[in-house]
Amino acid sequence: MIITLDGPAGAGKSSTARRLATRLGWCYMDTGAMYRAVALAALERGLQLEDQEALAALAAALVITFRDGRVLLDGRDVSVEIRTDRVTTATRPVADAPPVREAMKQLQRAMAEQLDVVTEGRDQGSVVFPGAALKIFLVASPEERARRRYRERLESGDGSQSVDDILAAQTRRDDGDRHRPVGAMEAAADAIRVETDGLSLDQVVEQILALARRRGVTPAVPRQLPEAGAGSTISSAQ
Ligand code: C5P
């Protein structure tokens, strides 16, 4: 079974999807991290970011693994590196390239096959998993999203950008995500919009769990095993 969580940057997709997967005892797939990993690999190999076919071939050849909340690229932990500004910038042309998106769609479907997965991104409900059991489109106001991102950066010791700087960068990314020719960020027609302004992570997760229960989704393991989902391994090599 698949639950998709799509929405703009900073809406809380990652923390919500991770917590949801843990509560259900399901695997968690962060497709933004996958695009970032391809961008990192392209930079490391010195590929031209305009060479869409080369990027797509690279995307198809990499082994991306999610394990214990970490992202592995060909077995190497790249969880921190893929979040640098340099990689974020390079992810744009990678995610805009239709052949890369096609390769990633096949990869994501293959990774999720036979598994129960909470997957997050921009196009998971609309393009990659049209038959998902539950599709959520997570939204929050731009200001709230920028404030959250600012607090997250501060917590990780990075106060280099003001809330306004983050808001401006976020608006540029949102525009790019909405207007790319293939795989543009959009809610699937049958997605349920969940507004997260003013809600805690737990409240958002409870809301989605209630919706999931109504679709017949049941946890794979007893709820008192809190880390059961987080330890799941999901890999493009499976
Ligand atoms: O979610 P995150 O910010 O890590 O995603 C990195 C970039 O990858 C985003 O800016 C978005 O453009 C792209 N992306 C995408 N499709 C997805 C997930 C992410 O195009 N399913």
Side-chain angles (χ1 to χ4, degrees):
M1 258 185 170
I2 306 284
I3 294 179
T4 61
L5 249 80
D6 291 302
K13 292 188 304 288
S14 295
S15 31
T16 306
R18 197 172 280 132
R19 179 79 62 94
L20 195 62
T22 300
R23 288 286 299 273
L24 290 169
W26 287 17
C27 296
Y28 162 60
M29 185 158 73
D30 175 354
T31 62
M34 295 175 71
Y35 281 100
R36 288 170 181 275
V38 175
L40 173 63
L43 289 173
E44 288 178 343
R45 286 161 174 77
L47 290 189
Q48 297 294 322
L49 296 178
E50 306 80 48
D51 189 346
Q52 301 194 345
E53 294 305 332
L55 291 174
L58 176 66
L62 295 173
V63 177
I64 300 168
T65 310
F66 296 105
R67 182 182 302 148
D68 298 326
R70 315 298 297 174
V71 184
L72 311 186
L73 174 61
D74 290 334
R76 174 168 59 107
D77 187 345
V78 294
S79 313
V80 174
E81 229 173 325
I82 58 171
R83 307 276 161 208
T84 57
D85 290 339
R86 174 171 159 264
V87 173
T88 300
T89 304
T91 304
R92 167 68 46 206
V94 169
D96 279 349
V100 174
R101 299 205 72 87
E102 182 57 32
M104 297 299 264
K105 180 174 77 181
Q106 302 304 339
L107 196 60
Q108 288 157 10
R109 286 180 179 167
M111 285 169 75
E113 211 170 279
Q114 314 279 344
L115 296 174
D116 291 321
V117 179
V118 177
T119 177
E120 60 132 319
R122 305 292 189 288
D123 59 347
Q124 297 298 285
S126 54
V127 175
V128 181
F129 298 105
L134 177 65
K135 301 177 186 177
I136 301 292
F137 197 77
L138 217 55
V139 283
S141 67
E143 295 74 19
E144 168 87 11
R145 293 192 278 126
R147 278 194 298 272
R148 285 181 193 160
R149 196 39 62 91
Y150 175 73
R151 281 197 298 268
E152 275 169 21
R153 288 179 76 116
L154 266 192
E155 276 165 23
S156 61
D158 179 2
S160 61
Q161 288 191 314
S162 68
V163 177
D164 284 346
D165 292 339
I166 293 173
L167 183 58
Q170 176 186 281
T171 304
R172 281 195 299 275
R173 280 179 69 197
D174 285 354
D175 283 348
D177 283 349
R178 276 196 203 99
H179 296 119
R180 67 165 53 95
V182 175
M185 174 177 67
E186 63 171 344
D190 53 349
I192 299 172
R193 286 173 73 89
V194 173
E195 306 259 354
T196 68
D197 272 46
L199 295 183
S200 69
L201 176 59
D202 274 336
Q203 287 171 317
V204 175
V205 171
E206 286 304 332
Q207 224 181 83
I208 299 174
L209 277 172
L211 292 166
R213 270 182 227 113
R214 268 182 245 151
R215 299 282 169 98
V217 169
T218 46
V221 292
R223 274 181 38 190
Q224 56 267 33
L225 296 177
E227 293 307 323
S232 310
T233 298
I234 182 168
S235 168
S236 59
Q238 276 176 351

